[in-house]
Amino acid sequence: MTILVIAEHDNRTLKPVTLNTITAATQIGGDIHLLVAGSNCKAVAVSASEITGVSKVLLADELAYEYQLAENMAKLITELGKDYDHILAPATTSGKNYLPRVAALLDVVQISDITAVESATTFQRPIYAGNAVATVESLDPIKVITVRTTAFDAAEKGNSAEISEISIAHDAQLSSFVSEEVAESDRPELTAANIIISGGRGMGNGENFGLLEQVADKLGAAVGASRAAVDAGFVPNDMQVGQTGKIVAPELYIAVGISGAIQHLAGMKDSKTIVAINKDEEAPIFSVADYGLVADLFDVMPELQNKL
């Protein structure tokens, strides 16, 4: 049994979510091959070859894959994937973009967002915004799977796998890369942070998020937000945590002025320790919090900053 895992990277560094996906593949069992598709990305392949459990790294270093456009990636993965029993990718924006195309081209059903592996054919995945867990068995010859990376530990490094270069360049010519705007910040990236402090509608406006940022700087934390805060225009949507935002599982999650709608809880309830600060003692967030403080955030946050 062989498994193909799709590496996520920016052509310079390997994204941590790849390590979590490798752990899921290890639990399935069998030889694990890791596909690194990009442009001028040899350094990523070298880093990938060091991941424990990986037996081979496939390097597709072609201009067509520079921005990992879904149309091009799907063609490449489909061509390679016919020789594998499982194809895995992180359940990130990228993985959710190209892997459904792969499943369609292979004429199989995709299993999305798995959180546990029961066997090579049976997996668990959350449904109903995380309120229930479905056990899914697939009889397809090729299992196409996205992995909720917060549910699996990161694989260790200490390996020296073979790197095999493949010369397959698929340019579907259906889309082209125009531009990207990268938000620069000295704080940790939201999905990789050990500590996250998030604000909700209770923050009142975008300027008040400065209260969270001051505490975040003291803690070395990332700053997130609920969908209500994003929809209200307080902060940009790349800060959104939740079912339709980013799924996070830090060591410490501090929810400030967040009532705890089911969509938000689905994105952060796997955090190791949850602290909730809200003046409404009936707020649903307290049902998942390890520590809860019923108080006005505008009194608490300045005091917390002073204490820190």
Side-chain angles (χ1 to χ4, degrees), residues 3-205:
I3 301 169
L4 180 64
V5 175
I6 317 304
E8 189 151 321
H9 62 91
D10 59 4
N11 292 313
R12 298 180 301 277
T13 57
L14 192 69
K15 297 293 180 67
V17 290
T18 303
L19 302 178
N20 306 90
T21 308
I22 291 293
T23 297
T26 302
Q27 293 179 11
I28 294 172
D31 287 336
I32 300 172
H33 295 177
L34 187 61
L35 173 62
V36 175
S39 180
N40 295 319
C41 58
K42 181 67 177 289
V44 177
V46 172
S47 177
S49 70
E50 299 172 355
I51 303 173
T52 301
V54 175
S55 58
K56 181 187 288 187
V57 175
L58 305 177
L59 173 60
D61 198 335
E62 302 284 350
L63 192 61
Y65 309 126
E66 181 175 6
Y67 299 107
Q68 289 97 48
L69 296 176
E71 294 83 356
N72 300 349
M73 289 289 291
K75 283 181 171 288
L76 171 66
I77 298 167
T78 301
E79 182 171 337
L80 295 173
K82 292 176 181 177
D83 298 325
Y84 290 87
D85 300 286
H86 297 74
I87 302 173
L88 272 64
T92 57
T93 301
S94 296
K96 291 176 181 179
N97 197 7
Y98 54 70
L99 218 59
R101 301 168 189 265
V102 173
L105 290 169
L106 291 173
D107 195 25
V108 298
V109 174
Q110 176 175 302
I111 303 174
S112 302
D113 227 20
I114 68 165
T115 55
V117 175
E118 292 194 359
S119 72
T121 60
T122 307
F123 312 91
Q124 292 182 9
R125 61 179 298 269
I127 58 174
Y128 306 136
N131 275 316
V133 175
T135 300
V136 181
E137 181 180 16
S138 172
L139 301 180
D140 286 329
I142 303 174
K143 282 74 173 172
V144 176
I145 299 168
T146 59
V147 177
R148 178 173 288 197
T149 54
T150 56
F152 297 89
D153 294 332
E156 300 291 334
K157 285 195 172 185
N159 192 19
S160 183
E162 169 194 356
I163 299 177
S164 177
E165 297 188 16
I166 55 177
S167 300
I168 303 175
H170 284 301
D171 189 347
Q173 297 185 341
L174 294 173
S175 62
S176 60
F177 178 80
V178 178
S179 66
E180 66 179 350
E181 294 181 12
V182 181
E184 297 291 340
S185 175
D186 294 331
R187 298 190 184 93
E189 201 277 323
L190 198 57
T191 56
N194 286 324
I195 302 174
I196 297 174
I197 180 167
S198 289
R201 194 195 304 273
M203 297 303 299
N205 57 52

